[in-house]
Amino acid sequence: MQSCDKCKIDIRGNKARCPLCGGKLKGEAEFPAFPVLKRKVMTRALLVRIAAFILFAFCVSMVVVDYASGTGISWLPLAIISAFVGFADICVTAYYHNNPLKTITVQIYVGMIISVIVDYFTGWHAWSVTWVMPSAFCGMVVVTIVTGLILRMKLQDFVLYLLFDTVLALIQFVFIMKGRNPFPLPAVISIALIIIFFAGILLFRWRDFASASSRYFNT
Ligand SMILES: [Zn+2]
């Protein structure tokens, strides 16, 4: 047990100095009386391992789906290439960018634009606006929130990303009105979900939104 000659006290555990006078302690330190809890932290290596696992699971299941479909899926190579590009993105983001949220947002938008362009130049089968865009917008909202939680950000630090996504999700209406989307249901559902979600933020977390907006527009 440690002790302080000046204060005439014994001290349990392992202290560098006397908690009362700050002076030097005599005696042997003990193990701490209470266990020390380690905070779990999302490290880059863990993030990359999770991404690698998801990539592996995705590729294996795509091969299974391809086999099960009998005739084979024409877009299988594209899906697997996209998955590898996504994995590379995550590695780059984890190691080289100090604003992961911004990087992820930009990459998802670039992915959406590329899918529309590829769709356009391959004869417009409308898969980009029917499936890619609705799932990308909903996915982006989820990814933004999950990333915010992993990075231990406050809602006011990423709520403007959610506003941005909500406004841009309305672009899907343009494709519907121009007759470019032959099956608008997924797009309409995704817009509705995102608008409902954002209305919830405005109603229940208005302070976060107001402070984020004033900070952004006043500086
Ligand atoms: Zn002391």
Side-chain angles (χ1 to χ4, degrees):
M1 189 173 287
Q2 296 171 296
S3 60
C4 176
D5 279 347
K6 204 172 149 196
C7 306
K8 308 266 185 282
I9 55 165
D10 293 332
I11 291 145
R12 291 189 65 188
N14 185 358
K15 296 276 189 295
R17 293 188 164 273
C18 170
L20 294 180
C21 68
K24 277 193 173 176
L25 295 173
K26 273 171 54 181
E28 291 287 306
E30 298 172 322
F31 282 111
F34 301 102
V36 180
L37 291 179
K38 272 190 186 171
R39 237 175 40 156
K40 270 207 167 182
V41 181
M42 186 75 157
T43 60
R44 291 165 171 180
L46 180 60
L47 184 68
V48 169
R49 267 187 296 175
I50 292 172
F53 182 71
I54 294 172
L55 173 73
F56 179 73
F58 177 77
C59 290
V60 171
S61 35
M62 284 315 293
V63 171
V64 172
V65 170
D66 186 51
Y67 175 75
S69 72
T71 52
I73 309 170
S74 57
W75 44 268
L76 182 82
L78 186 68
I80 288 183
I81 290 170
S82 313
F84 271 93
V85 170
F87 175 69
D89 272 352
I90 289 169
C91 296
V92 170
T93 306
Y95 283 96
Y96 297 105
H97 291 276
N98 48 20
N99 188 347
L101 207 49
K102 191 175 176 182
T103 314
I104 292 168
T105 303
V106 169
Q107 281 164 356
I108 293 178
Y109 278 113
V110 168
M112 272 196 261
I113 292 167
I114 288 175
S115 75
V116 170
I117 292 171
V118 170
D119 198 1
Y120 181 79
F121 283 106
T122 53
W124 197 257
H125 300 289
W127 49 266
S128 57
V129 290
T130 308
W131 301 111
V132 177
M133 271 198 176
S135 48
F137 275 115
C138 288
M140 185 133 63
V141 170
V142 174
V143 166
T144 302
I145 293 164
V146 170
T147 309
L149 291 176
I150 289 174
L151 298 176
R152 297 173 184 283
M153 293 166 78
K154 289 177 184 161
L155 178 63
Q156 53 172 285
D157 295 327
F158 62 90
V159 70
L160 289 184
Y161 284 93
L162 298 172
L163 172 68
F164 188 62
D165 298 336
T166 306
V167 171
L168 279 190
L170 299 176
I171 283 179
Q172 299 182 95
F173 274 132
V174 175
F175 289 96
I176 296 172
M177 286 188 297
K178 295 264 178 197
R180 286 292 191 175
N181 186 343
F183 183 55
L185 189 62
V188 172
I189 291 174
S190 86
I191 294 169
L193 285 177
I194 292 172
I195 288 179
I196 290 170
F197 176 76
F198 202 75
I201 290 183
L202 291 184
L203 280 171
F204 296 103
R205 302 296 296 268
W206 171 256
R207 275 163 185 271
D208 292 278
F209 180 70
S211 71
S213 317
S214 66
R215 211 173 27 170
Y216 183 78
F217 291 110
N218 287 345
T219 53

